[in-house]
Amino acid sequence: MRLLVVEDEVKLASYLKRGLEADGHAVDIAGDGEEGLWLARNQSYDVIVLDIMLPKRNGFQVCADLRGESNWTPILMLTAKDGEFDIEEALDTGADDYLTKPFSFVVLSARIRAIARRGAPERPAVLEVDDLRLDPAAHTVERGGTEIKVTAKEFSLLEFLMRHSGEAVRKTNILNAVWDWDFEGDSNVVEVYIGYLRRKIDDPFDRASIETVRGVGYRLRVGR
Ligand code: CA
C-alpha cells in the first residue's frame, strides 16, 4: 500500500517509515500539516497516518480540509495520551480510527490494514492535479471546469499518470498498468496514446503538463 505519515517528531516518523517499509508499504513522510495536506491532495494514498499536534496546520484541520474536499482516504489519527477530547474531535472531523501515543508498532500496522480494508466507501476519491480533475466513479475528466471527452484507454492512461503525478514513470510501467501484463504489442502504443492525451488535455488549454523524460518515459507535471 501507499501510505502517508504526517508526523513532526523526526525520530518517530523515521521509525514508522522503516517499520512500514519493512511491511512492504511505500511510505511518504510529511513533517508538518501543510506539507501533509499538499501531499494528500496531490498523491493517492491508501491510508494516511495523521498526528494531531503538528506545526503550521494541526491534524484536525488537515482532516477536516480533506473531508471538506471529498477526499475520503482512510485516516488514522495519532492522539496524545489521555486525550479523551482529542479522540472525540478526531472522529468528529472525519478520521476513521485513532491510536493513542505511545502505541505498539504491531497495533499500528494492524489498524492500518483494518482501515485500508474498509477503504473509502463514501465515494472514490476524485483525482486532482492542478486544474485537471478525474473522477473514477463518474468516469469524467475536466480541465478548469471544462469537460474533456476521452476514450477508455486514454482515461486509464491519464488516471495512471495522475496517480503518479510529479513522478517520472517508465513506459514499461505504463504498459503494464494500462495495457495487460501479457500485452505483446509494440511499446510505441504508449507514445501514441500520450500524443492523443496531449491533444485533449494540454493543447486546447495551451498547457504542456505531460512531459517527456528522456530515457525514462513521462511525467505529469504538478504546478504550472
Ligand atoms: Ca506532533
Side-chain angles (χ1 to χ4, degrees):
M1 288 191 284
R2 189 176 175 108
L3 309 176
L4 172 63
V5 175
V6 190
E7 171 60 71
D8 59 313
E9 289 165 51
V10 176
K11 278 175 77 175
L12 178 58
S14 65
Y15 165 76
L16 293 177
K17 183 176 168 70
R18 277 198 310 277
L20 292 168
E21 283 178 348
D23 277 355
H25 304 300
V27 183
D28 290 340
I29 299 283
D32 63 62
E34 281 181 8
E35 190 189 359
L37 194 55
W38 190 88
L39 281 169
R41 281 172 174 159
N42 289 288
Q43 305 283 339
S44 180
Y45 294 101
D46 296 293
V47 173
I48 299 171
V49 177
L50 183 59
D51 187 30
I52 289 177
M53 296 297 287
L54 289 166
K56 294 187 182 172
R57 201 157 185 77
N58 72 40
F60 296 131
Q61 294 170 316
V62 172
C63 184
D65 283 351
L66 290 174
R67 297 305 187 235
E69 295 162 11
S70 298
N71 181 326
W72 307 106
T73 305
I75 292 177
L76 176 65
M77 283 258 205
L78 302 179
T79 67
K81 60 176 172 229
D82 304 325
E84 186 183 331
F85 295 103
D86 279 0
I87 292 163
E88 188 183 354
E89 194 169 354
L91 298 175
D92 283 348
T93 53
D96 298 84
D97 201 356
Y98 68 92
L99 207 51
T100 304
K101 287 182 177 180
F103 50 81
S104 100
F105 181 79
V106 176
V107 173
L108 174 79
S109 182
R111 294 278 179 90
I112 286 173
R113 286 195 301 275
I115 65 169
R117 270 198 300 275
R118 273 184 254 152
E122 276 80 354
R123 65 207 84 161
V126 171
L127 300 179
E128 283 183 279
V129 176
D130 302 327
D131 61 349
L132 191 61
R133 197 167 183 277
L134 179 146
D135 186 334
H139 230 260
T140 54
V141 176
E142 290 175 10
R143 168 82 88 186
T146 304
E147 190 170 344
I148 302 169
K149 295 275 176 225
V150 295
T151 65
K153 229 16 148 191
E154 291 163 355
F155 187 90
S156 304
L157 175 58
L158 182 60
E159 182 176 4
F160 183 80
L161 291 174
M162 290 180 78
R163 288 195 187 279
H164 296 86
S165 59
E167 298 170 28
V169 286
R170 295 187 176 277
K171 266 196 236 174
T172 49
N173 292 348
I174 295 174
L175 205 54
N176 290 338
V178 179
W179 281 267
D180 294 329
W181 281 100
D182 55 358
F183 177 79
E184 290 188 352
D186 194 329
S187 72
N188 286 336
V189 70
V190 176
E191 280 167 49
V192 170
Y193 274 84
I194 289 282
Y196 292 158
L197 265 187
R198 280 177 169 149
R199 264 170 263 157
K200 290 186 176 181
I201 68 158
D202 277 348
D203 296 353
F205 301 91
D206 200 20
R207 303 284 285 272
S209 62
I210 304 179
E211 300 173 314
T212 301
V213 185
R214 286 195 64 179
V216 180
Y218 300 96
R219 175 172 47 226
L220 182 66
R221 192 204 313 209
V222 179
R224 296 175 80 152

